[in-house]
Amino acid sequence: MTTPAAPRQPRSGCPISIALELLGDAWSLLIVRDLMFKGRRTYNDFLAGGEGIASNVLASRLRKLEGANIIEKRSDPRDARRYIYRLSPKGIDLAPVLVDLVIWSARHVQTDAPPAVVRSMREDRERFLADVRRRWRTSA
Amino acid sequence: MTTPAAPRQPRSGCPISIALELLGDAWSLLIVRDLMFKGRRTYNDFLAGGEGIASNVLASRLRKLEGANIIEKRSDPRDARRYIYRLSPKGIDLAPVLVDLVIWSARHVQTDAPPAVVRSMREDRERFLADVRRRWRTSA
DNA sequence: CCGGATCCGTTTCGATACTG
DNA sequence: CAGTATCGAAACGGATCCGG
């Protein structure tokens, strides 16, 4: 007799567990990175500039991130058929995580990250984060 | 006509992209967390204490993490049938990422993280990280 | 018991074609 | 431009089995 498909039990209240429920996949944090560091903000930006995400998967991740209030979507005032995605306050607060991920990668796997940027992240972390946040705030 | 299955193209050299190739799934960072913070270190520890990972998936993740030199495996000197997993230097260097994830979760989603611990992570981050590393080093 | 491997139904992914 | 629709391939989750 076959089991009637139990739909993945909910996770514990452990903070990391909950965070990974939102971000624990191959693409979500890449979209956040695109928004935070690469100046990408439209569907086609992500599609072309990401590392080859499929369009259906992209749409699904954007929905999920928006549903979790990590990103916000609104239509471009200058072009009605275009939407602009933007990090929410909750989304920009992921900056420390991404910065640490860059530092870790630079140390342990070879990357194409400019050493000067990585050094600035590591040696002047608070200032780097403040800059990220300021750029985000002023680009409203 | 059907496409003959192109096997997932490699990713760019962007550090976050590369990191997520190793860690961008629902379980890998949970195993790292178990090792770093929860004192779990055997297969059955993860199986029972994790949030319900299936045994085949767990075995697959452990292989992947070991292959990436993030964890190390050796047999328990006191019980020949048991293996002990441990974070490598590369693995313990993920501590900042996990700490930031905890801080982010505590701020933006409700968790069961003890507020005192979170405050210590946030307000005395360097010291907290040094403690994590020291505990890891001395528990060799 | 411990650390997996195997089998199998279900779900998700990836690639591409198509649409408003 | 911003997504759906479709479909085969791969991964997952659960249960069970197995060598030491």
Side-chain angles (χ1 to χ4, degrees):
Chain A
M1 197 196 255
T2 50
T3 324
R8 198 77 270 287
Q9 70 189 60
R11 289 227 170 136
S12 79
C14 170
I16 294 180
S17 182
I18 293 182
L20 290 180
E21 219 156 343
L22 297 174
L23 306 170
D25 69 274
W27 297 110
S28 296
L29 278 179
L30 245 38
I31 296 173
V32 173
R33 173 207 64 179
D34 281 358
L35 287 164
M36 197 178 299
F37 298 125
K38 297 203 179 252
R40 297 176 185 143
R41 43 184 209 165
T42 72
Y43 188 89
N44 275 343
D45 283 347
F46 304 133
L47 206 54
E51 342 275 324
I53 187 173
S55 64
N56 54 348
V57 177
L58 173 58
S60 149
R61 290 303 174 278
L62 289 172
R63 263 195 305 268
K64 188 167 127 190
L65 290 172
E66 195 189 357
N69 285 312
I70 291 171
I71 64 176
E72 293 160 359
K73 171 187 184 178
R74 44 175 152 168
S75 62
D76 187 338
R78 285 186 293 251
D79 181 350
R81 64 190 174 163
R82 188 189 297 265
Y83 293 98
I84 292 186
Y85 290 93
R86 189 160 181 282
L87 288 169
S88 70
K90 182 174 175 181
I92 197 67
D93 277 355
L94 284 169
V97 177
L98 293 192
V99 164
D100 288 342
L101 226 34
V102 170
I103 293 171
W104 181 82
S105 299
R107 176 166 302 165
H108 290 290
V109 300
Q110 72 274 57
T111 72
D112 63 6
V117 174
V118 177
R119 193 171 337 111
S120 146
M121 287 179 172
R122 211 180 43 233
E123 296 179 2
D124 217 351
R125 182 186 146 95
E126 289 315 311
R127 194 229 258 265
F128 187 95
L129 289 173
D131 283 355
V132 168
R133 183 176 295 275
R134 179 158 33 74
R135 279 191 296 110
W136 168 76
R137 211 177 326 105
T138 62
S139 76
Chain B
M1 198 195 265
T2 51
T3 323
R8 192 85 260 294
Q9 68 191 61
R11 288 223 171 140
S12 78
C14 169
I16 294 180
S17 182
I18 294 183
L20 291 179
E21 219 156 343
L22 296 174
L23 307 169
D25 70 275
W27 297 111
S28 295
L29 278 179
L30 284 180
I31 295 172
V32 173
R33 172 207 65 179
D34 281 357
L35 286 164
M36 197 177 298
F37 298 125
K38 297 205 177 251
R40 296 174 186 145
R41 43 184 209 166
T42 72
Y43 188 90
N44 275 341
D45 283 347
F46 305 134
L47 206 55
E51 341 275 325
I53 188 172
S55 67
N56 54 347
V57 177
L58 174 58
S60 150
R61 289 304 174 278
L62 289 173
R63 263 194 305 269
K64 188 167 126 189
L65 289 172
E66 196 189 356
N69 285 312
I70 291 171
I71 65 176
E72 294 159 358
K73 171 187 185 179
R74 43 177 152 169
S75 62
D76 188 339
R78 286 186 293 252
D79 183 350
R81 61 190 175 166
R82 191 187 295 267
Y83 292 98
I84 292 186
Y85 290 92
R86 187 158 182 282
L87 288 170
S88 70
K90 182 175 174 180
I92 197 68
D93 277 354
L94 284 169
V97 177
L98 293 192
V99 163
D100 288 341
L101 226 34
V102 171
I103 293 172
W104 180 83
S105 299
R107 176 166 303 166
H108 291 288
V109 300
Q110 73 273 56
T111 73
D112 63 6
V117 174
V118 176
R119 193 171 339 110
S120 146
M121 286 180 173
R122 212 180 42 233
E123 296 178 5
D124 217 351
R125 184 187 144 94
E126 288 315 312
R127 197 231 256 264
F128 187 95
L129 288 173
D131 283 355
V132 168
R133 183 177 296 274
R134 179 157 33 75
R135 278 192 295 108
W136 168 76
R137 211 178 324 107
T138 62
S139 78

